[in-house]
Amino acid sequence: MNTKTILIVDDEQTTRQGLKKTLEIWSNGRYEILSAADGPEADELFNKTKIHLLITDIYMPEMDGLKLLKNLKDKGHKPVVMIVSGYPDFEYAQEAIRLGVVNYLLKPLSKQKLIEAVEQAMEMEANIERTDYIEKVADQKILRIDGRNDLSKTPIKEALAYVNNNLNKQISLKEVADFVHLNSSYLSVLFKEQTSLTFSEYITRKKLQLAKNLLLTTELPIEEIAHETGYQTAKYFIKLFKEFEGITPSKYRKSSMNESPF
């Protein structure tokens, strides 16, 4: 599990060090706490590491807090952002909200208020990552089928459960038909009629959903993931994955690195 990172940006050294010390004591090693004296230094840190929560001052020389946020947004960085400022500037607050800032705290602030705000921000960050993760892994067609209640106590519901419990194996239509006591041809027609997917497409989509989960949450080699999803050869698994996802499993894993909330 990767340690998440909090970055404090403030040109006042005493304030910066005080915030850092407070959060290090509170964090007790759960998070990495970094600090920067200005916008350009913060910008450099973003280029080197993934920042999950940014706590920044507004008024700073060379690059103020809002300009920093705009630069980060233009570069595709999406940290959760809190502002800690000594000035209750309404226009700045409005602009901060437009840029997605989740909290605007005024100095001086108590340790308790800071910690409460940071805890809320990290909870929000975790929810955002979890949502992004689900969207990245989930197959919308599978979600629609899994969410249906009208299939309960039907042969198709039993067939789906059998498939879902045996994704690490090669599964045939006849095998499932025998399990639900139906003729293979009839099961095939009924399956397509009730799920809008062919039997083979459902199995493939479920296996690839499992594969994506393993790619994002484990360091298993591609060959082992192919085996875990019931494919005899990695070559066939990679070919199938690319057909459905548009990229190879390795590229999928690389492009999604550090985005899983687990």
Side-chain angles (χ1 to χ4, degrees), residues 98-122:
R98 191 183 70 79
L99 289 169
V101 171
V102 301
N103 212 330
Y104 192 113
L105 302 174
L106 291 177
K107 301 175 185 176
L109 68 159
S110 67
K111 291 180 181 180
Q112 183 180 348
K113 190 171 183 180
L114 171 67
I115 289 168
E116 286 176 357
V118 169
E119 285 177 340
Q120 289 174 1
M122 292 309 293

Side-chain angles (χ1 to χ4, degrees), residues 8-27:
I8 300 160
V9 186
D10 199 309
D11 62 313
E12 295 177 359
Q13 185 177 359
T14 305
T15 302
R16 185 172 68 251
Q17 291 178 342
L19 292 174
K20 189 172 188 290
K21 185 177 180 181
T22 298
L23 293 184
E24 282 176 341
I25 293 170
W26 159 77
S27 169

Side-chain angles (χ1 to χ4, degrees), residues 7-9 36-47 51 54 68 72:
L7 173 61
I8 300 160
V9 186
D38 53 35
E41 188 181 343
D43 208 24
E44 275 298 309
L45 284 170
F46 268 92
N47 292 333
I51 307 297
L54 171 64
L68 170 63
L72 295 175

Side-chain angles (χ1 to χ4, degrees), residues 36-165:
D38 53 35
E41 188 181 343
D43 208 24
E44 275 298 309
L45 284 170
F46 268 92
N47 292 333
K48 295 174 182 175
T49 187
K50 180 176 174 62
I51 307 297
H52 299 85
L53 171 62
L54 171 64
I55 304 172
T56 183
D57 191 9
I58 287 280
Y59 296 98
M60 294 183 293
E62 199 170 340
M63 183 192 293
D64 68 24
L66 295 184
K67 187 176 180 183
L68 170 63
L69 298 188
K70 289 173 185 173
N71 284 358
L72 295 175
K73 191 173 182 180
D74 290 343
K75 291 180 179 180
H77 298 298
K78 299 176 182 178
V80 171
V81 182
M82 284 171 47
I83 283 176
V84 178
S85 175
Y87 305 92
D89 190 309
F90 181 68
E91 287 186 13
Y92 268 107
Q94 278 190 314
E95 180 68 5
I97 291 169
R98 191 183 70 79
L99 289 169
V101 171
V102 301
N103 212 330
Y104 192 113
L105 302 174
L106 291 177
K107 301 175 185 176
L109 68 159
S110 67
K111 291 180 181 180
Q112 183 180 348
K113 190 171 183 180
L114 171 67
I115 289 168
E116 286 176 357
V118 169
E119 285 177 340
Q120 289 174 1
M122 292 309 293
E123 186 176 339
M124 183 179 295
E125 191 277 337
N127 288 336
I128 291 169
E129 281 207 344
R130 193 172 292 111
T131 300
D132 289 345
Y133 171 80
I134 290 170
E135 287 177 355
K136 187 173 286 291
V137 170
D139 182 313
Q140 294 303 315
K141 291 184 177 181
I142 295 296
L143 284 179
R144 280 195 290 273
I145 294 169
D146 290 348
R148 286 178 58 180
N149 296 319
D150 58 325
L151 295 177
S152 60
K153 296 182 181 179
T154 68
I156 296 304
K157 188 72 173 180
E158 292 178 29
L160 292 173
Y162 184 88
V163 170
N164 296 345
N165 291 329

Side-chain angles (χ1 to χ4, degrees), residues 177 232 251:
Q232 290 186 322
K251 287 184 179 177

